[in-house]
Amino acid sequence: MTEDQVTTGPARQVLPAEERYATELEFLAAYDDDRRPPGWLLTPRAVVTFVCGSGGEALELPRGRDGLPARLKIEAKFVGERALVERCVVTLAGERGLLLVGEPGTAKSMLSELLATAVCGTSALTVQGTAGTTEDAFRYGWNYALLLAQGPSRSALVDSPVLTAMRSGRVARIEEITRCLPEVQDALVSILSDRRVSVPELAGTEEAQVPAASGFTVIATANLRDRGVSEMSAALKRRFNFETVGPIADAAAETALVRRQATAVVQRAGAAFGVDDAVLEALVTVFRDLRTGRSDEGWDVERPGTVMSTAEAVQVAASLGVAAAYLPQGDVLDLVPGHLLGVVRKDDPADHGRLLGYWDGPVRRRAEDGSAMWRRLWDLRENLR
């Protein structure tokens, strides 16, 4: 271990958005100093720019600020409709709950993190919804050592991330809300309606009611595949504005995103990303065909039961990059069928046959049209057995 490692500790794999984009956030706060909702770090317009980027244009500060660049290009972090992001920002500015729904792997969590970071400066006030999540995760708990020693008191109270957000006027995030049991979900109904939390144990004190400070709101996410797991009550649904996050529509944009994120994964693994662009394009094409049930040529494709998401495509591309860097064994394209098989086998065994059917359909037809890339993939059909 080096002296630097002893002093600073091991490097973190992933930085939270507030640290990763700290310069952009500070720059945008200085660049757009127009009015903003109470408690907001940035103006609504700057929040949209932070998430969607500045369109390749370098923004320029009207006057010099110490420690900030005079000009800065804001990168696009979310690939999707700008109108969707604008609706999300309007919802949050109105202090209404926002629920992002969609298929797994459509960047709902990433969008939630980016929005919370740009609005209040932190994405850390997060509850991960599971079947084991209790009401304490939305309200409060107790430090039982202090509770036994002192009785109910403010110092013995343990705030949940939601209660912390209420006290400070920030954004609370709830991931996979439909994985929580209905009776746990419903703890949010009064929070989003009354904008306060009652603490009966502290009755007669100032802490018996915790009101929400200006700026408090909630961003939740839910997978469409989880409908029926723990269906939200009608009362809770009414407290949220629903926004559906769909798959990336543009193939070139999806390929660029897969390349960018896979490159970051391989670089964290200590290597350079060495997967050819043509291989990435073929990989993304396979995912898009199987996801939509139709190829760009108009050929029907039987969709597998598993979700062929962009997130899965990133993981396959990253695996190809790591293999090319550390276990080079000929053409990296030869590894594609095996990794695809690993993806489609996750849910339904019958998806293996659907992947073979895709190979016997679009892959074979493209090979017959003379594409060397698809000809090689067709020759690798035996690797799917």
Side-chain angles (χ1 to χ4, degrees), residues 203-246:
T205 71
E206 293 183 356
E207 292 293 332
Q209 294 276 343
V210 181
S214 295
F216 165 71
T217 190
V218 173
I219 304 176
T221 65
N223 284 328
L224 293 175
R225 295 291 178 109
D226 287 341
R227 280 185 173 171
V229 175
S230 293
E231 183 68 22
M232 294 172 65
S233 67
L236 184 55
K237 287 179 180 179
R238 288 197 303 272
R239 270 92 181 155
F240 283 99
N241 282 357
F242 282 56
E243 291 291 346
T244 301
V245 183

Short mmCIF file of all heavy atoms in Angstrom, two decimals, residues 203-246:
data_model
loop_
_atom_site.label_atom_id
_atom_site.label_comp_id
_atom_site.label_asym_id
_atom_site.label_seq_id
_atom_site.Cartn_x
_atom_site.Cartn_y
_atom_site.Cartn_z
N ALA A 203 -45.20 14.00 22.41
CA ALA A 203 -46.35 14.88 22.63
C ALA A 203 -46.07 15.86 23.76
O ALA A 203 -45.48 15.51 24.79
CB ALA A 203 -47.59 14.05 22.95
N GLY A 204 -46.46 17.11 23.55
CA GLY A 204 -46.24 18.15 24.55
C GLY A 204 -44.94 18.90 24.37
O GLY A 204 -44.66 19.84 25.13
N THR A 205 -44.15 18.50 23.37
CA THR A 205 -42.90 19.20 23.09
C THR A 205 -42.97 19.81 21.69
O THR A 205 -43.87 19.50 20.90
CB THR A 205 -41.68 18.25 23.15
OG1 THR A 205 -41.72 17.36 22.01
CG2 THR A 205 -41.71 17.42 24.42
N GLU A 206 -42.00 20.66 21.37
CA GLU A 206 -41.96 21.27 20.05
C GLU A 206 -41.70 20.24 18.95
O GLU A 206 -41.98 20.50 17.78
CB GLU A 206 -40.87 22.35 20.00
CG GLU A 206 -41.16 23.55 20.88
CD GLU A 206 -40.10 24.62 20.76
OE1 GLU A 206 -39.10 24.37 20.03
OE2 GLU A 206 -40.24 25.69 21.37
N GLU A 207 -41.14 19.09 19.31
CA GLU A 207 -40.81 18.07 18.33
C GLU A 207 -41.96 17.12 18.04
O GLU A 207 -41.80 16.17 17.28
CB GLU A 207 -39.59 17.26 18.81
CG GLU A 207 -38.30 18.04 18.84
CD GLU A 207 -37.82 18.42 17.45
OE1 GLU A 207 -38.13 17.69 16.50
OE2 GLU A 207 -37.13 19.45 17.32
N ALA A 208 -43.12 17.36 18.63
CA ALA A 208 -44.26 16.47 18.41
C ALA A 208 -44.77 16.53 16.98
O ALA A 208 -45.39 15.59 16.49
CB ALA A 208 -45.38 16.81 19.39
N GLN A 209 -44.50 17.64 16.29
CA GLN A 209 -44.86 17.80 14.89
C GLN A 209 -43.62 18.29 14.14
O GLN A 209 -43.02 19.29 14.55
CB GLN A 209 -45.99 18.81 14.71
CG GLN A 209 -47.31 18.39 15.31
CD GLN A 209 -48.10 17.49 14.37
OE1 GLN A 209 -47.82 17.42 13.18
NE2 GLN A 209 -49.09 16.79 14.91
N VAL A 210 -43.25 17.58 13.08
CA VAL A 210 -42.12 18.01 12.25
C VAL A 210 -42.68 18.48 10.92
O VAL A 210 -43.12 17.68 10.10
CB VAL A 210 -41.12 16.86 12.02
CG1 VAL A 210 -39.94 17.35 11.17
CG2 VAL A 210 -40.62 16.30 13.33
N PRO A 211 -42.72 19.80 10.69
CA PRO A 211 -43.27 20.30 9.42
C PRO A 211 -42.22 20.23 8.31
O PRO A 211 -41.01 20.25 8.56
CB PRO A 211 -43.60 21.76 9.75
CG PRO A 211 -42.59 22.13 10.80
CD PRO A 211 -42.35 20.89 11.61
N ALA A 212 -42.70 20.14 7.08
CA ALA A 212 -41.79 20.13 5.93
C ALA A 212 -41.38 21.56 5.61
O ALA A 212 -42.22 22.45 5.50
CB ALA A 212 -42.49 19.50 4.72
N ALA A 213 -40.08 21.76 5.47
CA ALA A 213 -39.57 23.07 5.06
C ALA A 213 -39.81 23.28 3.57
O ALA A 213 -39.96 22.31 2.80
CB ALA A 213 -38.07 23.16 5.37
N SER A 214 -39.83 24.53 3.15
CA SER A 214 -40.05 24.85 1.74
C SER A 214 -38.98 24.17 0.89
O SER A 214 -37.80 24.18 1.21
CB SER A 214 -39.98 26.36 1.52
OG SER A 214 -41.03 27.01 2.20
N GLY A 215 -39.44 23.58 -0.20
CA GLY A 215 -38.52 22.87 -1.10
C GLY A 215 -38.60 21.37 -0.99
O GLY A 215 -38.14 20.65 -1.88
N PHE A 216 -39.18 20.87 0.10
CA PHE A 216 -39.26 19.41 0.27
C PHE A 216 -40.17 18.78 -0.79
O PHE A 216 -41.27 19.29 -1.06
CB PHE A 216 -39.80 19.06 1.65
CG PHE A 216 -40.25 17.62 1.76
CD1 PHE A 216 -39.33 16.59 1.76
CD2 PHE A 216 -41.60 17.31 1.82
CE1 PHE A 216 -39.74 15.26 1.84
CE2 PHE A 216 -42.03 15.99 1.90
CZ PHE A 216 -41.09 14.97 1.92
N THR A 217 -39.72 17.70 -1.34
CA THR A 217 -40.56 16.87 -2.20
C THR A 217 -39.94 15.48 -2.32
O THR A 217 -38.87 15.21 -1.75
CB THR A 217 -40.75 17.51 -3.59
OG1 THR A 217 -41.76 16.80 -4.31
CG2 THR A 217 -39.46 17.48 -4.40
N VAL A 218 -40.61 14.61 -3.05
CA VAL A 218 -40.19 13.20 -3.16
C VAL A 218 -40.12 12.80 -4.63
O VAL A 218 -41.03 13.12 -5.41
CB VAL A 218 -41.19 12.27 -2.41
CG1 VAL A 218 -40.86 10.80 -2.68
CG2 VAL A 218 -41.16 12.56 -0.92
N ILE A 219 -39.04 12.11 -4.99
CA ILE A 219 -38.94 11.45 -6.29
C ILE A 219 -38.90 9.96 -6.04
O ILE A 219 -38.03 9.46 -5.32
CB ILE A 219 -37.67 11.87 -7.07
CG1 ILE A 219 -37.59 13.38 -7.24
CG2 ILE A 219 -37.66 11.19 -8.44
CD1 ILE A 219 -36.30 13.85 -7.91
N ALA A 220 -39.85 9.24 -6.62
CA ALA A 220 -39.88 7.78 -6.49
C ALA A 220 -39.72 7.14 -7.86
O ALA A 220 -39.99 7.77 -8.89
CB ALA A 220 -41.19 7.34 -5.84
N THR A 221 -39.27 5.89 -7.87
CA THR A 221 -39.16 5.14 -9.12
C THR A 221 -39.88 3.81 -8.97
O THR A 221 -40.02 3.28 -7.86
CB THR A 221 -37.69 4.86 -9.52
OG1 THR A 221 -37.09 4.00 -8.53
CG2 THR A 221 -36.90 6.15 -9.61
N ALA A 222 -40.36 3.29 -10.09
CA ALA A 222 -41.05 1.99 -10.08
C ALA A 222 -40.89 1.34 -11.45
O ALA A 222 -40.99 2.01 -12.48
CB ALA A 222 -42.52 2.15 -9.75
N ASN A 223 -40.63 0.06 -11.45
CA ASN A 223 -40.54 -0.70 -12.69
C ASN A 223 -41.92 -1.20 -13.11
O ASN A 223 -42.68 -1.71 -12.29
CB ASN A 223 -39.62 -1.92 -12.52
CG ASN A 223 -38.16 -1.53 -12.53
OD1 ASN A 223 -37.77 -0.59 -13.21
ND2 ASN A 223 -37.35 -2.25 -11.77
N LEU A 224 -42.20 -1.07 -14.41
CA LEU A 224 -43.47 -1.58 -14.91
C LEU A 224 -43.57 -3.08 -14.72
O LEU A 224 -44.68 -3.63 -14.58
CB LEU A 224 -43.62 -1.22 -16.39
CG LEU A 224 -43.76 0.28 -16.70
CD1 LEU A 224 -43.78 0.50 -18.21
CD2 LEU A 224 -45.01 0.84 -16.06
N ARG A 225 -42.44 -3.78 -14.71
CA ARG A 225 -42.47 -5.24 -14.50
C ARG A 225 -42.91 -5.60 -13.09
O ARG A 225 -43.24 -6.75 -12.82
CB ARG A 225 -41.07 -5.82 -14.77
CG ARG A 225 -40.59 -5.71 -16.21
CD ARG A 225 -41.40 -6.60 -17.14
NE ARG A 225 -40.99 -6.48 -18.52
CZ ARG A 225 -40.32 -7.42 -19.19
NH1 ARG A 225 -39.98 -8.54 -18.60
NH2 ARG A 225 -40.00 -7.23 -20.46
N ASP A 226 -42.89 -4.62 -12.17
CA ASP A 226 -43.25 -4.89 -10.79
C ASP A 226 -44.72 -4.62 -10.47
O ASP A 226 -45.14 -4.72 -9.33
CB ASP A 226 -42.39 -4.05 -9.83
CG ASP A 226 -40.97 -4.55 -9.76
OD1 ASP A 226 -40.74 -5.71 -10.13
OD2 ASP A 226 -40.09 -3.78 -9.35
N ARG A 227 -45.49 -4.25 -11.48
CA ARG A 227 -46.92 -4.02 -11.22
C ARG A 227 -47.55 -5.31 -10.69
O ARG A 227 -47.38 -6.38 -11.25
CB ARG A 227 -47.62 -3.57 -12.49
CG ARG A 227 -47.40 -2.09 -12.79
CD ARG A 227 -48.19 -1.64 -13.99
NE ARG A 227 -48.10 -0.20 -14.16
CZ ARG A 227 -48.56 0.45 -15.22
NH1 ARG A 227 -49.16 -0.21 -16.19
NH2 ARG A 227 -48.43 1.76 -15.31
N GLY A 228 -48.28 -5.17 -9.63
CA GLY A 228 -48.89 -6.34 -9.02
C GLY A 228 -48.08 -6.90 -7.88
O GLY A 228 -48.57 -7.71 -7.11
N VAL A 229 -46.80 -6.50 -7.76
CA VAL A 229 -46.00 -6.95 -6.62
C VAL A 229 -46.56 -6.33 -5.35
O VAL A 229 -46.94 -7.01 -4.41
CB VAL A 229 -44.52 -6.58 -6.82
CG1 VAL A 229 -43.71 -6.94 -5.58
CG2 VAL A 229 -43.95 -7.32 -8.03
N SER A 230 -46.59 -5.00 -5.31
CA SER A 230 -47.24 -4.27 -4.22
C SER A 230 -47.88 -3.04 -4.86
O SER A 230 -47.26 -1.97 -4.90
CB SER A 230 -46.24 -3.87 -3.13
OG SER A 230 -45.74 -5.00 -2.45
N GLU A 231 -49.05 -3.21 -5.38
CA GLU A 231 -49.72 -2.14 -6.12
C GLU A 231 -49.94 -0.94 -5.21
O GLU A 231 -50.35 -1.08 -4.05
CB GLU A 231 -51.05 -2.64 -6.65
CG GLU A 231 -51.81 -1.63 -7.49
CD GLU A 231 -51.13 -1.33 -8.82
OE1 GLU A 231 -50.34 -2.16 -9.29
OE2 GLU A 231 -51.43 -0.26 -9.39
N MET A 232 -49.66 0.25 -5.74
CA MET A 232 -49.87 1.47 -4.97
C MET A 232 -51.37 1.73 -4.81
O MET A 232 -52.16 1.46 -5.71
CB MET A 232 -49.22 2.66 -5.68
CG MET A 232 -47.71 2.59 -5.73
SD MET A 232 -47.01 3.91 -6.78
CE MET A 232 -47.47 5.37 -5.84
N SER A 233 -51.74 2.26 -3.66
CA SER A 233 -53.13 2.59 -3.43
C SER A 233 -53.52 3.80 -4.27
O SER A 233 -52.67 4.60 -4.68
CB SER A 233 -53.36 2.91 -1.94
OG SER A 233 -52.68 4.11 -1.59
N ALA A 234 -54.82 3.94 -4.51
CA ALA A 234 -55.30 5.08 -5.29
C ALA A 234 -54.96 6.40 -4.58
O ALA A 234 -54.63 7.40 -5.22
CB ALA A 234 -56.81 4.96 -5.50
N ALA A 235 -55.03 6.38 -3.25
CA ALA A 235 -54.72 7.60 -2.48
C ALA A 235 -53.27 8.02 -2.69
O ALA A 235 -52.98 9.22 -2.85
CB ALA A 235 -55.00 7.36 -1.00
N LEU A 236 -52.36 7.06 -2.69
CA LEU A 236 -50.94 7.40 -2.88
C LEU A 236 -50.67 7.82 -4.31
O LEU A 236 -49.90 8.77 -4.54
CB LEU A 236 -50.07 6.20 -2.49
CG LEU A 236 -48.55 6.44 -2.54
CD1 LEU A 236 -48.15 7.64 -1.68
CD2 LEU A 236 -47.80 5.19 -2.09
N LYS A 237 -51.30 7.15 -5.26
CA LYS A 237 -51.09 7.53 -6.66
C LYS A 237 -51.47 8.98 -6.91
O LYS A 237 -50.82 9.69 -7.69
CB LYS A 237 -51.91 6.62 -7.59
CG LYS A 237 -51.37 5.21 -7.73
CD LYS A 237 -52.28 4.39 -8.64
CE LYS A 237 -51.76 2.98 -8.81
NZ LYS A 237 -52.65 2.16 -9.67
N ARG A 238 -52.52 9.44 -6.25
CA ARG A 238 -52.99 10.81 -6.47
C ARG A 238 -51.99 11.85 -5.96
O ARG A 238 -52.07 13.01 -6.33
CB ARG A 238 -54.34 11.03 -5.80
CG ARG A 238 -55.50 10.34 -6.50
CD ARG A 238 -56.83 10.92 -6.05
NE ARG A 238 -57.02 10.83 -4.60
CZ ARG A 238 -57.56 9.78 -3.98
NH1 ARG A 238 -57.93 8.72 -4.69
NH2 ARG A 238 -57.71 9.78 -2.67
N ARG A 239 -51.07 11.42 -5.09
CA ARG A 239 -50.09 12.37 -4.56
C ARG A 239 -48.85 12.50 -5.44
O ARG A 239 -47.94 13.26 -5.12
CB ARG A 239 -49.67 11.95 -3.15
CG ARG A 239 -50.55 12.56 -2.06
CD ARG A 239 -51.68 11.66 -1.71
NE ARG A 239 -52.54 12.25 -0.67
CZ ARG A 239 -53.80 11.91 -0.53
NH1 ARG A 239 -54.38 11.05 -1.35
NH2 ARG A 239 -54.52 12.46 0.42
N PHE A 240 -48.81 11.75 -6.53
CA PHE A 240 -47.66 11.79 -7.44
C PHE A 240 -48.09 12.20 -8.84
O PHE A 240 -49.20 11.89 -9.28
CB PHE A 240 -47.01 10.40 -7.54
CG PHE A 240 -46.16 10.01 -6.36
CD1 PHE A 240 -46.65 9.19 -5.37
CD2 PHE A 240 -44.85 10.47 -6.27
CE1 PHE A 240 -45.85 8.80 -4.29
CE2 PHE A 240 -44.05 10.10 -5.20
CZ PHE A 240 -44.55 9.27 -4.21
N ASN A 241 -47.20 12.89 -9.52
CA ASN A 241 -47.29 13.01 -10.97
C ASN A 241 -46.48 11.88 -11.58
O ASN A 241 -45.30 11.70 -11.24
CB ASN A 241 -46.73 14.36 -11.44
CG ASN A 241 -47.70 15.50 -11.23
OD1 ASN A 241 -48.82 15.29 -10.78
ND2 ASN A 241 -47.27 16.71 -11.53
N PHE A 242 -47.07 11.12 -12.49
CA PHE A 242 -46.41 9.98 -13.12
C PHE A 242 -45.73 10.44 -14.41
O PHE A 242 -46.32 11.14 -15.22
CB PHE A 242 -47.42 8.89 -13.46
CG PHE A 242 -47.85 8.03 -12.29
CD1 PHE A 242 -48.38 8.60 -11.15
CD2 PHE A 242 -47.70 6.66 -12.34
CE1 PHE A 242 -48.78 7.83 -10.07
CE2 PHE A 242 -48.09 5.87 -11.27
CZ PHE A 242 -48.64 6.46 -10.14
N GLU A 243 -44.49 10.02 -14.61
CA GLU A 243 -43.78 10.24 -15.87
C GLU A 243 -43.14 8.92 -16.30
O GLU A 243 -42.46 8.27 -15.51
CB GLU A 243 -42.70 11.31 -15.73
CG GLU A 243 -43.22 12.72 -15.51
CD GLU A 243 -43.93 13.28 -16.73
OE1 GLU A 243 -43.79 12.70 -17.83
OE2 GLU A 243 -44.62 14.32 -16.60
N THR A 244 -43.40 8.53 -17.53
CA THR A 244 -42.87 7.27 -18.05
C THR A 244 -41.55 7.51 -18.76
O THR A 244 -41.46 8.34 -19.67
CB THR A 244 -43.87 6.62 -19.03
OG1 THR A 244 -45.10 6.38 -18.35
CG2 THR A 244 -43.32 5.30 -19.57
N VAL A 245 -40.52 6.79 -18.33
CA VAL A 245 -39.20 6.87 -18.96
C VAL A 245 -39.07 5.68 -19.89
O VAL A 245 -39.02 4.53 -19.45
CB VAL A 245 -38.08 6.86 -17.90
CG1 VAL A 245 -36.71 7.03 -18.57
CG2 VAL A 245 -38.30 7.96 -16.87
N GLY A 246 -39.03 5.94 -21.18
CA GLY A 246 -38.97 4.87 -22.18
C GLY A 246 -37.56 4.58 -22.65
O GLY A 246 -36.61 5.28 -22.30
#
